Each structure stands twice: as structure tokens, then as C-alpha cells.
């Protein structure tokens, strides 16, 4: 039995209401008529008009007529029957499909190590996109914001299926009840962020403009997203990763969105490098710097004004010399006292890297770490 016949049998089990939602989600318009046997739909693709009809359930030849609807969808959208069937089976979810192709995956299997690596990378990819929905940043020191973590808990993984190595992530999406919805639900915005970010990567790499990867934070190109995409790189020179999208039938599909992106081996080197550069150079807000004062100097001795301070503290598991400009007399006094006593201090601000040097643009007071309640915990450095 062919894939088409198997899909047609399953398709025939779907009620007319579900098929009507499917057609609407793929851009078909329902005609305003009272046909006794069919719900008539039409669409225009590449200047050509297509018409199909969803049979009413009481028709004796319902399975045959439903098969015609499936054929129309395959023809118009260039979709495989099983892809359309998956969309019908999971009407309340956007589906993100990850397909690994290449000689090593020709039998539909991959190594256990590759499976674990790619699952972790896939999770980071979605989690990073969800964080960019909350706030577009070049780098997220911690991927722990609640809307994003709640989103990840709602996602489901379907069992892998045939066709090299293929796995689906189902993203539940609330239905659209009114045409003028103010804003799509968070989950739909996240799926769309993933799609748009991948399109930006594909365009930049395809045009040979690798530097464009560094300026796409608003499109979801954070260091976290790019590093996760690079970690999806499959083994083998001929291997590729394909990421495609099917949209929930409960909401209209987003306009002008590419449904599939293919990344071959040459794409991953610039993506990985862009992720590294963004991670190292992106401003890090609300950074808690702890360390020891190495130098305190007035910009203009004998005159009031700013003082240049160097604090030696830990940044990314290494000791760094961080420049901090102090304006308040109290902060300057604390810095001088800390340097004299070789006492530890802490200060919050935005950490900025300039080449090999670091600067903290502070928005908090300098604290002398002398009291028991000054003991720092990981929660103090959370990413709000």
C-alpha cells in the first residue's frame, strides 16, 4: 500500500469540521454557498485557481471524496500525504520537524551519543527563541525566565519516524476565536521566532554575509540560539539537517514564512563563530561583579569628579581586570578602604567587553563584603 493510500484511509476518519480547519489554516477560503453535499473551498497559487470540496459526513462515498481533498492539498502545497496527515492528527499544535539526512542516517538510526547531543541542542534552540520573545538580547547568561521555561514544559516530542532520522516537536497553540486577535499566544510567537531566525541564518550564510549573523538579536539570533543551531551539526561530510514547520489548524498560518530550511556542513562554521563572538562581546546586564580592588585613581587629582577603579573578579570562570568608574564619594571611600584592607567588594551593572578589556557600567552601589549577610549566592546573579 502506498503512502497516499495509507494517509487517505486515516484522512477518511477525520470529521468535516477538522478538514475545514485544515484548509483554512493553509490559506483556502470557504465559499459562501449552501451546497447540499460539500463545503466548497478555493485558493489561488502562483496565479492558478484551485477548488475542492469537503464532503458532508452523511455522504455514502465520504472516504473517496475525502481522498480528493488530500490529493488537492498535496498538489497545491507540494506536501507529502503523511505531512498533511500529521497536521490533522495534531490540530492544536505547531509542528517543528527535524530531519537528519546523510549516509550515517540512511537506515533511520543515529548513534546514542548523537541522539543525546541533538536533543539537548534542539531544546536549547527552542528555549533561546522563547527568551528572545520575552526580550531580544544578544546573549542570555541564564536561560531561566519563567515564560520560556513554562513554554518548554508544554512542548511534546513525537517518536522518531522513517525517512533518514526524523523527529517532531509539538508546540501546543491556543485556538484563534476572533479574526482581530490582539496578539498571538506565546507558543505561536516562539515557533515563529524560530522560523524567522532560521530564515535569517539561511539568508546570511547563503549570501556569504556571515557578519549579518551578529546583528540579528531582534530576529532571535542570540548567541544561545546560534550555538544551539551549531550543535545540531550532523556527523559526515554529506550529512544535512532539515528543519520544517507545519502550523496548527486552530490558527491562521503566519504570512510569508518559509516552511523548510536546509543546513549543510558549510553553514555551521560561521554560525558557531557568530555564537562565540556574541557570547564574548554582548553587554551583560545586571551582572554581579565580585572581587578585589586593584587600583583606584582620580581622573583629575586635586579636583572632584570620577575615579577610575579596577576590580579583579571572576568573569566566565576566569579572573579578569574590570574597569569601573566611580562618581559617588561613598563608593570611592569604600574602594580605597577595600584596597587598603585587601577586602572583597561587589557591585552590579552592565558588563561590556572591548577587545580584551572589560568595563562595568554600574547601576548599583559598591559594597564591602564584610558582613555574614553579604555572602553571595547563585540566586543573586539571576537573569531577570
Amino acid at each position: 500500500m502506498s503512502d497516499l493510500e495509507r494517509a487517505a484511509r486515516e484522512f477518511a476518519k477525520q470529521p468535516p469540521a477538522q478538514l475545514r480547519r485544515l484548509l483554512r489554516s493553509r490559506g483556502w477560503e470557504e465559499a459562501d454557498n449552501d451546497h447540499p453535499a460539500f463545503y466548497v473551498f478555493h485558493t489561488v497559487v502562483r496565479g492558478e485557481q484551485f477548488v475542492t470540496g469537503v464532503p458532508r459526513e452523511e455522504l455514502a462515498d465520504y472516504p473517496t471524496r475525502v481522498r480528493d481533498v488530500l490529493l488537492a492539498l498535496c498538489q497545491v502545497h507540494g506536501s507529502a500525504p503523511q505531512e498533511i496527515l500529521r497536521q490533522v492528527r495534531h490540530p492544536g499544535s505547531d509542528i517543528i520537524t527535524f530531519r537528519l539526512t546523510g549516509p550515517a542516517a540512511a537506515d533511520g538510526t543515529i548513534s546514542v551519543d548523537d541522539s543525546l547531543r541533538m536533543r539537548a541542542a534542539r531544546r536549547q534552540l527552542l528555549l533561546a527563541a522563547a527568551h528572545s520573545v520575552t526580550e531580544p538580547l544578544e546573549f542570555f547568561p541564564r536561560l531561566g525566565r519563567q515564560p520560556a521555561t513554562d513554554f518548554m514544559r508544554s512542548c511534546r516530542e513525537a517518536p522518531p519516524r522513517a525517512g533518514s532520522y526524523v523527529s517532531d516537536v509539538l508546540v501546543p497553540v491556543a485556538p484563534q476565536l476572533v479574526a482581530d486577535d490582539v496578539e498571538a499566544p506565546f507558543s505561536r510567537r516562539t515557533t515563529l521566532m524560530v522560523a524567522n531566525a532560521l530564515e535569517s541564518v539561511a539568508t546570511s550564510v547563503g549570501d556569504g554575509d556571515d557578519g549579518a549573523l551578529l546583528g540579528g538579536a531582534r530576529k532571535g539570533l542570540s548567541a544561545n540560539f546560534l550555538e544551539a543551531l551549531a550543535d545540531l551539526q550532523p556527523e559526515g561530510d554529506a550529512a544535512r539537517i532539515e528543519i520544517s514547520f507545519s502550523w496548527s489548524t486552530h490558527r491562521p498560518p503566519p504570512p510569508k514564512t518559509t516552511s523548510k530550511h536546509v543546513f549543510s556542513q558549510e553553514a555551521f562554521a560561521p554560525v558557531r563563530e557568530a555564537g562565540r563572538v556574541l557570547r564574548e562581546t554582548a553587554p551583560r546586564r545586571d551582572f554581579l561583579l565580585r572581587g578585589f580592588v586593584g587600583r583606584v585613581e582620580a581622573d583629575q587629582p586635586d579636583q572632584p569628579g570620577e575615579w577610575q577603579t579596577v576590580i579583579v573578579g571572576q568573569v566566565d570562570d576566569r579572573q579578569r581586570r574590570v574597569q569601573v568608574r566611580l562618581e559617588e564619594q561613598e563608593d570611592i571611600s569604600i574602594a580605597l578602604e577595600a584596597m587598603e584592607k585587601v577586602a572583597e567588594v561587589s557591585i552590579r551593572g552592565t558588563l561590556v567587553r572591548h577587545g580584551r578589556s572589560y568595563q562595568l557600567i554600574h547601576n548599583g552601589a559598591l559594597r564591602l563584603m564584610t558582613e555574614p549577610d553579604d555572602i553571595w549566592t547563585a540566586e543573586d546573579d539571576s537573569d531577570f
Side-chain angles (χ1 to χ4, degrees):
M1 184 184 298
S2 67
D3 287 345
L4 175 61
E5 296 306 322
R6 279 193 290 268
R9 285 192 175 188
E10 289 294 319
F11 216 63
K13 298 177 183 178
Q14 305 300 322
Q18 185 66 340
L19 301 182
R20 292 166 71 188
R21 289 192 186 98
L22 173 64
L23 285 162
R24 294 191 199 103
S25 74
R26 289 192 167 236
W28 293 68
E29 293 186 13
E30 186 168 0
D32 186 14
N33 61 52
D34 295 320
H35 195 286
F38 295 94
Y39 303 98
V40 180
F41 285 80
H42 59 88
T43 190
V44 177
V45 178
R46 296 180 293 275
E48 187 175 357
Q49 183 162 346
F50 296 87
V51 178
T52 191
V54 175
R56 298 184 184 274
E57 202 164 16
E58 59 269 17
L59 291 182
D61 60 347
Y62 182 82
T64 302
R65 300 303 182 186
V66 165
R67 184 180 184 277
D68 293 339
V69 176
L70 176 61
L71 284 171
L73 287 167
C74 293
Q75 178 185 0
V76 171
H77 301 287
S79 302
Q82 292 297 329
E83 177 189 338
I84 296 172
L85 184 60
R86 272 198 314 280
Q87 195 176 7
V88 169
R89 284 174 171 168
H90 304 286
S93 297
D94 291 336
I95 303 174
I96 308 177
T97 299
F98 296 79
R99 181 190 301 271
L100 174 63
T101 64
D107 62 352
T109 68
I110 59 175
S111 71
V112 172
D113 285 346
D114 276 350
S115 174
L116 293 173
R117 173 179 59 81
M118 296 185 72
R119 276 182 167 167
R122 186 177 59 189
R123 181 182 184 277
Q124 289 295 95
L125 190 84
L126 299 180
L127 191 56
H131 276 74
S132 290
V133 172
T134 65
E135 183 181 12
L137 296 177
E138 293 175 329
F139 172 59
F140 298 94
R142 291 170 53 116
L143 294 176
R145 299 189 181 189
Q146 187 168 359
T149 55
D150 288 346
F151 160 78
M152 284 306 306
R153 280 191 287 270
S154 73
C155 295
R156 309 292 293 176
E157 180 186 31
R161 49 191 172 83
S164 290
Y165 182 83
V166 186
S167 63
D168 297 323
V169 174
L170 278 61
V171 181
V173 176
Q176 179 172 322
L177 303 181
V178 293
D180 56 346
D181 239 354
V182 176
E183 186 175 47
F186 186 88
S187 54
R188 165 55 66 85
R189 285 183 282 142
T190 298
T191 311
L192 185 58
M193 181 69 77
V194 175
N196 289 338
L198 292 175
E199 185 163 0
S200 295
V201 171
T203 300
S204 299
V205 174
D207 292 344
D209 187 11
D210 299 337
L213 296 170
L214 301 177
R218 292 195 172 278
K219 299 177 182 178
L221 298 187
S222 64
N224 314 76
F225 183 92
L226 292 168
E227 289 171 342
L229 179 59
D231 286 342
L232 284 172
Q233 180 176 5
E235 298 288 340
D237 293 340
R240 305 185 305 173
I241 188 80
E242 299 177 5
I243 306 175
S244 58
F245 300 83
S246 295
W247 304 98
S248 167
T249 63
H250 285 179
R251 302 189 70 85
K256 299 179 181 179
T257 302
T258 305
S259 61
K260 183 170 73 172
H261 300 281
V262 181
F263 299 97
S264 53
Q265 292 294 336
E266 59 268 19
F268 292 101
V271 168
R272 190 178 299 279
E273 178 64 8
R276 183 192 69 81
V277 171
L278 283 177
R279 175 180 286 271
E280 293 186 358
T281 61
R284 296 166 64 169
R285 299 186 308 169
D286 201 48
F287 184 86
L288 178 66
L289 176 66
R290 281 172 50 96
F292 296 88
V293 178
R295 187 177 77 242
V296 184
E297 296 176 348
D299 285 350
Q300 298 183 27
D302 304 326
Q303 293 186 27
E306 294 185 348
W307 286 54
Q308 183 67 42
T309 304
V310 173
I311 298 177
V312 181
Q314 188 164 308
V315 178
D316 294 334
D317 300 325
R318 293 185 63 181
Q319 292 294 314
R320 305 282 190 180
R321 296 172 61 85
V322 182
Q323 298 178 4
V324 183
R325 301 185 71 85
L326 301 178
E327 300 178 16
E328 301 296 330
Q329 186 58 49
E330 183 178 355
D331 290 341
I332 297 169
S333 299
I334 291 175
L336 291 169
E337 180 185 355
M339 187 170 62
E340 180 182 354
K341 295 181 178 179
V342 193
E344 195 173 15
V345 297
S346 71
I347 189 170
R348 271 189 193 278
T350 298
L351 184 69
V352 181
R353 181 172 180 176
H354 303 286
R356 295 184 178 182
S357 64
Y358 290 83
Q359 180 183 11
L360 188 78
I361 304 171
H362 68 92
N363 53 15
L366 187 70
R367 296 175 60 197
L368 191 64
M369 309 296 287
T370 57
E371 299 298 328
D373 59 354
D374 283 335
I375 296 176
W376 173 82
T377 62
E379 287 76 10
D380 292 328
D381 199 20
S382 61
D383 181 30
F384 294 104

